[in-house]
Coordinates of all heavy atoms in Angstrom, one line a residue:
F1 N -139.1 106.2 -33.5 CA -137.9 105.8 -33.0 C -137.5 104.3 -33.4 O -136.3 104.0 -33.5 CB -137.8 105.9 -31.5 CG -137.9 107.3 -31.0 CD1 -139.0 107.9 -30.4 CD2 -136.8 108.1 -31.2 CE1 -139.0 109.2 -30.0 CE2 -136.8 109.4 -30.8 CZ -137.9 110.0 -30.2
V2 N -138.5 103.5 -33.7 CA -138.2 102.1 -34.0 C -137.4 102.1 -35.4 O -136.5 101.3 -35.5 CB -139.5 101.3 -34.1 CG1 -139.3 99.9 -34.7 CG2 -140.1 101.2 -32.7
S3 N -137.8 102.9 -36.3 CA -137.1 102.9 -37.6 C -135.7 103.4 -37.5 O -134.8 102.9 -38.2 CB -137.9 103.8 -38.6 OG -137.9 105.1 -38.2
I4 N -135.5 104.4 -36.6 CA -134.1 104.9 -36.4 C -133.3 103.7 -35.7 O -132.1 103.5 -36.1 CB -134.1 106.1 -35.5 CG1 -134.7 107.3 -36.3 CG2 -132.7 106.5 -35.1 CD1 -134.9 108.5 -35.5
Y5 N -133.9 103.1 -34.8 CA -133.2 102.0 -34.1 C -132.8 100.9 -35.1 O -131.7 100.4 -35.1 CB -134.0 101.4 -33.0 CG -133.6 100.0 -32.5 CD1 -132.5 99.9 -31.6 CD2 -134.2 98.9 -33.0 CE1 -132.0 98.7 -31.2 CE2 -133.7 97.6 -32.6 CZ -132.7 97.5 -31.7 OH -132.2 96.3 -31.3
R6 N -133.7 100.5 -36.0 CA -133.5 99.5 -37.0 C -132.4 99.9 -37.9 O -131.5 99.1 -38.3 CB -134.7 99.1 -37.7 CG -135.7 98.3 -36.9 CD -136.9 98.0 -37.7 NE -137.9 97.2 -36.8 CZ -139.1 97.2 -37.0 NH1 -139.7 97.9 -38.0 NH2 -139.9 96.5 -36.2
E7 N -132.4 101.1 -38.3 CA -131.4 101.6 -39.3 C -130.0 101.6 -38.6 O -129.0 101.1 -39.2 CB -131.7 103.0 -39.7 CG -130.7 103.5 -40.8 CD -131.1 104.9 -41.3 OE1 -132.3 105.3 -41.1 OE2 -130.3 105.5 -42.0
I8 N -129.9 102.1 -37.4 CA -128.6 102.1 -36.7 C -128.1 100.7 -36.4 O -127.0 100.3 -36.6 CB -128.7 102.9 -35.4 CG1 -128.9 104.4 -35.7 CG2 -127.5 102.7 -34.5 CD1 -129.2 105.3 -34.5
R9 N -129.0 99.8 -36.0 CA -128.7 98.4 -35.8 C -128.1 97.8 -37.0 O -127.1 97.1 -37.0 CB -129.9 97.7 -35.3 CG -129.7 96.2 -34.9 CD -131.0 95.5 -34.4 NE -130.7 94.2 -34.0 CZ -130.6 93.1 -34.8 NH1 -130.8 93.3 -36.1 NH2 -130.3 91.9 -34.3
S10 N -128.8 98.0 -38.1 CA -128.3 97.5 -39.4 C -126.9 97.9 -39.8 O -126.1 97.1 -40.2 CB -129.3 97.8 -40.5 OG -128.8 97.4 -41.8
M11 N -126.7 99.2 -39.6 CA -125.4 99.8 -39.9 C -124.3 99.2 -39.0 O -123.2 98.9 -39.4 CB -125.4 101.3 -39.7 CG -126.2 102.0 -40.8 SD -126.6 103.8 -40.6 CE -125.3 104.4 -39.6
V12 N -124.6 99.1 -37.7 CA -123.6 98.5 -36.7 C -123.3 97.0 -37.1 O -122.2 96.6 -37.1 CB -124.1 98.6 -35.3 CG1 -123.3 97.8 -34.3 CG2 -124.1 100.1 -34.9
L13 N -124.4 96.3 -37.4 CA -124.1 94.9 -37.8 C -123.3 94.7 -39.0 O -122.5 93.8 -39.2 CB -125.5 94.1 -37.9 CG -126.2 93.9 -36.6 CD1 -127.6 93.3 -36.9 CD2 -125.4 93.1 -35.7
Q14 N -123.5 95.6 -40.0 CA -122.7 95.6 -41.2 C -121.2 95.9 -40.9 O -120.3 95.3 -41.4 CB -123.2 96.7 -42.2 CG -124.4 96.2 -42.9 CD -125.0 97.3 -43.8 OE1 -124.7 98.5 -43.7 NE2 -125.8 96.9 -44.8
E15 N -121.0 96.9 -40.0 CA -119.6 97.2 -39.6 C -118.9 96.1 -38.8 O -117.7 96.0 -38.9 CB -119.6 98.5 -38.7 CG -119.9 99.8 -39.5 CD -118.8 100.1 -40.5 OE1 -117.6 99.9 -40.2 OE2 -119.2 100.5 -41.6
L16 N -119.7 95.3 -38.1 CA -119.1 94.2 -37.4 C -119.1 92.9 -38.1 O -118.7 91.9 -37.6 CB -119.9 94.0 -36.1 CG -119.9 95.2 -35.1 CD1 -120.8 94.9 -33.9 CD2 -118.5 95.4 -34.6
D17 N -119.4 92.9 -39.4 CA -119.4 91.7 -40.2 C -118.0 91.6 -40.8 O -117.6 92.2 -41.8 CB -120.4 91.8 -41.3 CG -120.4 90.6 -42.2 OD1 -119.6 89.7 -42.0 OD2 -121.3 90.5 -43.1
F18 N -117.1 90.7 -40.2 CA -115.8 90.6 -40.6 C -115.6 89.8 -42.0 O -114.6 89.9 -42.6 CB -114.9 89.9 -39.5 CG -114.7 90.8 -38.3 CD1 -115.0 90.4 -37.1 CD2 -114.1 92.0 -38.5 CE1 -114.8 91.2 -36.0 CE2 -113.9 92.9 -37.4 CZ -114.3 92.5 -36.2
T19 N -116.7 89.2 -42.4 CA -116.7 88.6 -43.7 C -116.6 89.7 -44.8 O -115.8 89.6 -45.7 CB -118.0 87.7 -44.0 OG1 -118.1 86.7 -42.9 CG2 -117.9 87.0 -45.3
A20 N -117.4 90.7 -44.6 CA -117.3 91.9 -45.5 C -116.0 92.6 -45.4 O -115.4 93.0 -46.4 CB -118.4 92.8 -45.2
E21 N -115.4 92.7 -44.2 CA -114.1 93.3 -44.0 C -113.0 92.5 -44.7 O -112.1 93.1 -45.3 CB -113.8 93.5 -42.5 CG -112.6 94.3 -42.2 CD -112.7 95.7 -42.6 OE1 -113.8 96.3 -42.6 OE2 -111.7 96.4 -42.9
A22 N -113.1 91.2 -44.6 CA -112.1 90.3 -45.3 C -112.2 90.6 -46.8 O -111.2 90.7 -47.5 CB -112.4 88.9 -45.0
A23 N -113.4 90.6 -47.4 CA -113.5 90.8 -48.8 C -113.0 92.2 -49.2 O -112.3 92.3 -50.2 CB -115.0 90.7 -49.2
N24 N -113.3 93.2 -48.4 CA -112.7 94.6 -48.7 C -111.2 94.6 -48.6 O -110.6 95.2 -49.5 CB -113.3 95.6 -47.7 CG -114.8 95.8 -47.9 OD1 -115.3 95.6 -49.0 ND2 -115.5 96.3 -46.9
T25 N -110.6 93.9 -47.6 CA -109.2 93.9 -47.5 C -108.6 93.2 -48.7 O -107.6 93.7 -49.2 CB -108.8 93.2 -46.2 OG1 -109.3 93.9 -45.1 CG2 -107.3 93.1 -46.0
T26 N -109.1 92.1 -49.1 CA -108.6 91.4 -50.3 C -108.7 92.2 -51.5 O -107.8 92.3 -52.3 CB -109.4 90.1 -50.5 OG1 -109.2 89.3 -49.3 CG2 -108.9 89.3 -51.7
K27 N -109.8 92.9 -51.7 CA -110.0 93.8 -52.9 C -109.0 94.9 -52.9 O -108.4 95.2 -54.0 CB -111.5 94.3 -52.9 CG -111.8 95.0 -54.1 CD -113.3 95.4 -54.1 CE -113.8 96.1 -55.4 NZ -115.2 96.4 -55.4
I28 N -108.8 95.6 -51.8 CA -107.9 96.7 -51.7 C -106.5 96.2 -52.0 O -105.7 96.8 -52.7 CB -108.0 97.4 -50.4 CG1 -109.3 98.2 -50.3 CG2 -106.8 98.4 -50.2 CD1 -109.6 98.7 -48.9
A29 N -106.1 95.0 -51.4 CA -104.8 94.5 -51.6 C -104.6 94.2 -53.1 O -103.5 94.4 -53.6 CB -104.6 93.2 -50.8
Q30 N -105.6 93.7 -53.8 CA -105.5 93.4 -55.2 C -105.2 94.7 -56.0 O -104.5 94.7 -57.0 CB -106.7 92.7 -55.8 CG -106.8 91.3 -55.3 CD -108.2 90.7 -55.6 OE1 -109.1 91.4 -55.9 NE2 -108.3 89.4 -55.5
N31 N -105.8 95.8 -55.6 CA -105.5 97.1 -56.2 C -104.1 97.5 -56.2 O -103.6 98.4 -57.0 CB -106.5 98.2 -55.7 CG -107.9 98.0 -56.0 OD1 -108.2 97.3 -57.0 ND2 -108.8 98.5 -55.2
F32 N -103.4 97.1 -55.2 CA -102.0 97.5 -55.0 C -101.0 96.4 -55.3 O -99.8 96.5 -54.9 CB -101.8 98.0 -53.5 CG -102.4 99.3 -53.3 CD1 -103.7 99.4 -52.8 CD2 -101.8 100.5 -53.6 CE1 -104.3 100.6 -52.5 CE2 -102.4 101.7 -53.3 CZ -103.7 101.8 -52.8
E33 N -101.4 95.3 -56.0 CA -100.5 94.2 -56.3 C -99.4 94.8 -57.2 O -99.6 95.6 -58.0 CB -101.3 93.2 -57.1 CG -101.9 92.1 -56.3 CD -102.6 91.0 -57.1 OE1 -102.7 91.2 -58.4 OE2 -103.0 90.0 -56.5
G34 N -98.2 94.2 -56.9 CA -97.0 94.7 -57.7 C -96.3 95.8 -57.0 O -95.2 96.2 -57.5
R35 N -96.9 96.5 -56.0 CA -96.2 97.6 -55.4 C -95.4 97.0 -54.2 O -95.9 96.3 -53.4 CB -97.2 98.6 -54.8 CG -98.1 99.2 -55.8 CD -97.7 100.6 -56.3 NE -97.2 101.5 -55.3 CZ -97.9 102.5 -54.9 NH1 -99.1 102.8 -55.3 NH2 -97.3 103.4 -54.0
S36 N -94.1 97.4 -54.1 CA -93.3 96.9 -53.0 C -93.3 97.8 -51.8 O -92.9 97.4 -50.7 CB -91.8 96.7 -53.5 OG -91.3 98.0 -53.9
D37 N -93.9 99.0 -52.0 CA -93.9 100.0 -50.9 C -95.2 99.9 -50.0 O -95.3 100.6 -49.0 CB -93.7 101.4 -51.4 CG -94.8 101.8 -52.4 OD1 -95.3 100.9 -53.2 OD2 -95.1 103.0 -52.5
I38 N -96.1 99.1 -50.5 CA -97.4 99.0 -49.7 C -97.7 97.5 -49.5 O -97.6 96.7 -50.4 CB -98.6 99.6 -50.5 CG1 -98.3 101.1 -50.7 CG2 -99.9 99.4 -49.8 CD1 -99.3 101.8 -51.6
K39 N -98.0 97.2 -48.3 CA -98.3 95.8 -47.9 C -99.7 95.7 -47.2 O -100.0 96.5 -46.4 CB -97.2 95.2 -47.0 CG -95.8 95.3 -47.5 CD -95.3 94.0 -47.9 CE -93.9 94.1 -48.3 NZ -93.6 93.6 -49.6
F40 N -100.4 94.6 -47.6 CA -101.7 94.3 -46.9 C -101.6 92.9 -46.4 O -101.1 92.0 -47.2 CB -102.9 94.5 -47.8 CG -103.2 95.9 -48.2 CD1 -102.6 96.5 -49.3 CD2 -104.1 96.6 -47.4 CE1 -102.9 97.8 -49.6 CE2 -104.3 97.9 -47.7 CZ -103.8 98.5 -48.8
P41 N -102.0 92.6 -45.2 CA -101.9 91.2 -44.8 C -102.9 90.4 -45.5 O -104.0 90.8 -45.8 CB -102.3 91.3 -43.3 CG -103.1 92.6 -43.1 CD -102.5 93.5 -44.2
R42 N -102.5 89.1 -45.9 CA -103.4 88.2 -46.6 C -104.4 87.7 -45.6 O -104.1 87.3 -44.5 CB -102.6 87.1 -47.1 CG -103.4 86.0 -47.9 CD -102.5 84.9 -48.4 NE -101.9 84.2 -47.3 CZ -102.4 83.2 -46.7 NH1 -103.7 82.8 -46.9 NH2 -101.8 82.6 -45.7
V43 N -105.7 87.7 -46.0 CA -106.8 87.2 -45.2 C -106.7 85.6 -45.3 O -106.6 85.1 -46.3 CB -108.1 87.7 -45.6 CG1 -109.3 87.0 -44.9 CG2 -108.2 89.2 -45.5
I44 N -106.8 85.0 -44.1 CA -106.8 83.5 -44.1 C -108.3 83.1 -44.0 O -108.9 83.1 -42.9 CB -106.0 83.0 -42.9 CG1 -104.6 83.5 -43.0 CG2 -106.0 81.4 -42.9 CD1 -103.7 83.2 -41.8
D45 N -108.9 82.8 -45.1 CA -110.3 82.6 -45.2 C -110.8 81.4 -44.3 O -111.8 81.5 -43.7 CB -110.8 82.4 -46.6 CG -110.7 83.6 -47.5 OD1 -111.0 84.7 -47.0 OD2 -110.3 83.5 -48.6
E46 N -110.0 80.3 -44.3 CA -110.4 79.2 -43.6 C -110.4 79.3 -42.1 O -111.0 78.5 -41.3 CB -109.6 77.9 -44.0 CG -108.1 78.1 -43.8 CD -107.4 78.7 -45.0 OE1 -108.1 79.2 -45.9 OE2 -106.2 78.7 -45.0
L47 N -109.8 80.4 -41.6 CA -109.8 80.7 -40.2 C -110.6 82.0 -39.8 O -110.6 82.4 -38.7 CB -108.4 80.9 -39.7 CG -107.5 79.7 -39.8 CD1 -106.0 80.0 -39.3 CD2 -108.0 78.5 -39.0
S48 N -111.3 82.5 -40.8 CA -112.1 83.8 -40.6 C -113.6 83.4 -40.7 O -114.0 82.5 -41.4 CB -111.7 84.8 -41.7 OG -110.4 85.2 -41.6
T49 N -114.4 84.2 -39.9 CA -115.8 84.0 -39.9 C -116.4 85.4 -39.9 O -115.7 86.4 -39.9 CB -116.3 83.2 -38.7 OG1 -116.0 84.0 -37.5 CG2 -115.6 81.9 -38.6
K50 N -117.7 85.4 -39.7 CA -118.4 86.7 -39.6 C -118.0 87.5 -38.3 O -118.0 88.7 -38.3 CB -119.9 86.4 -39.5 CG -120.8 87.6 -39.7 CD -122.3 87.2 -39.9 CE -123.1 88.5 -40.1 NZ -124.2 88.3 -41.0
R51 N -117.5 86.7 -37.3 CA -117.1 87.4 -36.1 C -115.6 87.4 -35.8 O -115.1 88.0 -34.9 CB -117.8 86.7 -34.9 CG -119.3 86.9 -34.9 CD -119.9 86.4 -33.7 NE -121.3 86.7 -33.6 CZ -121.9 87.5 -32.8 NH1 -121.2 88.2 -31.9 NH2 -123.2 87.7 -32.9
V52 N -114.9 86.7 -36.7 CA -113.4 86.6 -36.5 C -112.7 86.9 -37.8 O -113.1 86.2 -38.8 CB -113.0 85.2 -36.0 CG1 -111.5 85.1 -35.9 CG2 -113.6 84.9 -34.6
L53 N -111.8 87.8 -37.8 CA -111.0 88.1 -39.0 C -109.6 87.7 -38.7 O -108.9 88.2 -37.8 CB -111.1 89.5 -39.4 CG -110.2 90.0 -40.6 CD1 -110.6 89.3 -41.8 CD2 -110.3 91.5 -40.8
T54 N -109.0 86.7 -39.5 CA -107.7 86.2 -39.3 C -106.8 86.6 -40.5 O -107.2 86.3 -41.6 CB -107.7 84.7 -39.1 OG1 -108.6 84.3 -38.1 CG2 -106.3 84.2 -38.8
T55 N -105.7 87.2 -40.3 CA -104.8 87.6 -41.3 C -103.4 87.2 -41.0 O -103.1 86.8 -39.8 CB -104.8 89.1 -41.6 OG1 -104.3 89.8 -40.4 CG2 -106.2 89.7 -41.9
E56 N -102.5 87.2 -42.0 CA -101.1 86.9 -41.8 C -100.5 88.0 -41.0 O -101.0 89.1 -41.0 CB -100.4 86.6 -43.1 CG -100.2 87.9 -43.9 CD -99.5 87.7 -45.2 OE1 -98.7 86.7 -45.3 OE2 -99.7 88.5 -46.1
F57 N -99.4 87.7 -40.4 CA -98.6 88.7 -39.6 C -97.5 89.2 -40.6 O -96.8 88.4 -41.1 CB -98.0 88.2 -38.3 CG -97.2 89.2 -37.6 CD1 -97.8 90.1 -36.8 CD2 -95.8 89.1 -37.6 CE1 -97.1 91.1 -36.1 CE2 -95.1 90.0 -36.9 CZ -95.7 91.0 -36.2
I58 N -97.4 90.5 -40.7 CA -96.3 91.1 -41.6 C -95.4 91.8 -40.7 O -95.7 92.8 -40.0 CB -96.9 92.0 -42.6 CG1 -97.9 91.3 -43.6 CG2 -95.8 92.7 -43.4 CD1 -98.5 92.2 -44.6
L59 N -94.1 91.3 -40.7 CA -93.1 92.0 -39.9 C -92.4 93.0 -40.8 O -91.8 92.6 -41.9 CB -92.1 91.0 -39.4 CG -90.9 91.5 -38.5 CD1 -91.5 92.2 -37.3 CD2 -90.0 90.4 -38.2
L60 N -92.5 94.3 -40.5 CA -92.0 95.3 -41.4 C -90.6 95.8 -40.9 O -90.4 95.8 -39.7 CB -92.9 96.5 -41.3 CG -94.3 96.3 -41.9 CD1 -95.2 97.5 -41.7 CD2 -94.3 95.9 -43.3
Q61 N -89.8 96.1 -41.8 CA -88.5 96.7 -41.5 C -88.8 98.2 -41.8 O -88.8 98.7 -42.9 CB -87.4 96.2 -42.4 CG -87.1 94.7 -42.1 CD -86.0 94.2 -43.0 OE1 -85.6 94.9 -43.9 NE2 -85.5 93.1 -42.7
L62 N -89.0 99.0 -40.7 CA -89.3 100.4 -40.9 C -88.1 101.2 -41.2 O -87.0 101.0 -40.8 CB -89.9 100.9 -39.6 CG -91.2 100.2 -39.1 CD1 -91.7 100.7 -37.8 CD2 -92.3 100.3 -40.2
Q63 N -88.4 102.2 -42.1 CA -87.4 103.1 -42.5 C -87.6 104.4 -41.8 O -88.7 104.8 -41.5 CB -87.4 103.3 -44.0 CG -87.3 102.1 -44.8 CD -85.9 101.5 -44.7 OE1 -84.9 102.2 -44.6 NE2 -85.8 100.2 -44.6
P64 N -86.5 105.1 -41.5 CA -86.7 106.4 -40.8 C -87.5 107.4 -41.7 O -87.4 107.4 -42.9 CB -85.3 106.9 -40.5 CG -84.4 106.1 -41.4 CD -85.1 104.9 -41.7
V65 N -88.3 108.3 -41.0 CA -89.0 109.3 -41.7 C -88.1 110.4 -42.1 O -87.3 110.9 -41.3 CB -90.2 109.8 -40.9 CG1 -90.9 110.9 -41.5 CG2 -91.1 108.7 -40.5
I66 N -88.2 110.8 -43.4 CA -87.3 112.0 -43.8 C -87.9 113.2 -43.2 O -89.1 113.5 -43.1 CB -87.4 112.1 -45.4 CG1 -86.8 110.8 -46.0 CG2 -86.6 113.3 -45.8 CD1 -87.0 110.7 -47.5
H67 N -87.0 114.1 -42.8 CA -87.4 115.3 -42.1 C -88.3 116.1 -43.1 O -88.0 116.3 -44.2 CB -86.1 116.2 -41.7 CG -86.4 117.2 -40.8 ND1 -86.9 118.5 -41.2 CD2 -86.4 117.3 -39.4 CE1 -87.1 119.2 -40.1 NE2 -86.8 118.5 -39.1
L68 N -89.4 116.7 -42.5 CA -90.4 117.3 -43.4 C -89.8 118.6 -44.1 O -90.4 119.0 -45.1 CB -91.6 117.7 -42.5 CG -92.4 116.5 -42.0 CD1 -93.6 117.0 -41.2 CD2 -93.0 115.7 -43.2
N69 N -88.8 119.2 -43.5 CA -88.3 120.4 -44.2 C -87.7 120.1 -45.6 O -87.6 121.0 -46.4 CB -87.2 121.0 -43.3 CG -87.8 121.8 -42.1 OD1 -88.9 122.1 -42.1 ND2 -87.0 122.0 -41.1
T70 N -87.4 118.9 -45.8 CA -86.8 118.4 -47.1 C -87.9 118.7 -48.2 O -87.5 119.0 -49.3 CB -86.5 116.9 -47.1 OG1 -85.6 116.7 -46.0 CG2 -85.9 116.5 -48.4
F71 N -89.1 118.6 -47.9 CA -90.2 118.8 -48.9 C -90.7 120.2 -49.0 O -91.5 120.5 -49.9 CB -91.4 117.9 -48.5 CG -91.0 116.5 -48.5 CD1 -90.9 115.8 -47.3 CD2 -90.8 115.8 -49.7 CE1 -90.6 114.4 -47.3 CE2 -90.5 114.4 -49.7 CZ -90.4 113.8 -48.5
T72 N -90.2 121.1 -48.2 CA -90.7 122.5 -48.3 C -89.9 123.4 -49.3 O -90.3 124.5 -49.6 CB -90.7 123.2 -46.9 OG1 -89.3 123.2 -46.4 CG2 -91.6 122.5 -46.0
N73 N -88.8 122.9 -49.7 CA -87.9 123.7 -50.7 C -88.4 123.6 -52.1 O -88.8 122.7 -52.6 CB -86.5 123.3 -50.5 CG -85.9 123.7 -49.2 OD1 -86.4 124.6 -48.5 ND2 -84.9 123.0 -48.7

């Protein structure tokens, strides 16, 4: 049981590491650079730590969803 505990503990700690999450967010955002239809908040590195992830706030102007029947024809 000790090995299972250690493995689960390791996985949970990785998931809670916001430094890794910040790097992943930045990497994904770079993959979509130049697209105007997809937005990712910029990570503010100087305000982020292993336990705190700080990003910019993006105010979106939402567009109405097109009725799904439009796509069935």
Side-chain angles (χ1 to χ4, degrees):
F1 290 111
V2 172
S3 64
I4 293 173
Y5 165 78
R6 286 183 181 152
E7 184 175 346
I8 292 172
R9 182 178 186 278
S10 173
M11 289 171 24
V12 168
L13 290 175
Q14 285 176 338
E15 286 296 318
L16 296 176
D17 181 355
F18 289 124
T19 304
E21 188 66 27
N24 290 336
T25 299
T26 300
K27 187 175 185 177
I28 291 171
Q30 289 171 345
N31 290 336
F32 289 93
E33 271 183 352
R35 299 266 315 254
S36 61
D37 59 329
I38 300 175
K39 303 253 185 238
F40 289 89
R42 182 181 60 84
V43 174
I44 304 172
D45 291 321
E46 56 273 9
L47 298 177
S48 298
T49 67
K50 192 171 184 145
R51 294 187 177 250
V52 175
L53 177 60
T54 306
T55 64
E56 70 179 338
F57 178 78
I58 299 176
L59 183 60
L60 299 175
Q61 294 180 350
L62 300 177
Q63 301 296 322
V65 176
I66 298 172
H67 196 275
L68 293 179
N69 285 340
T70 304
F71 298 107
T72 59
N73 294 334

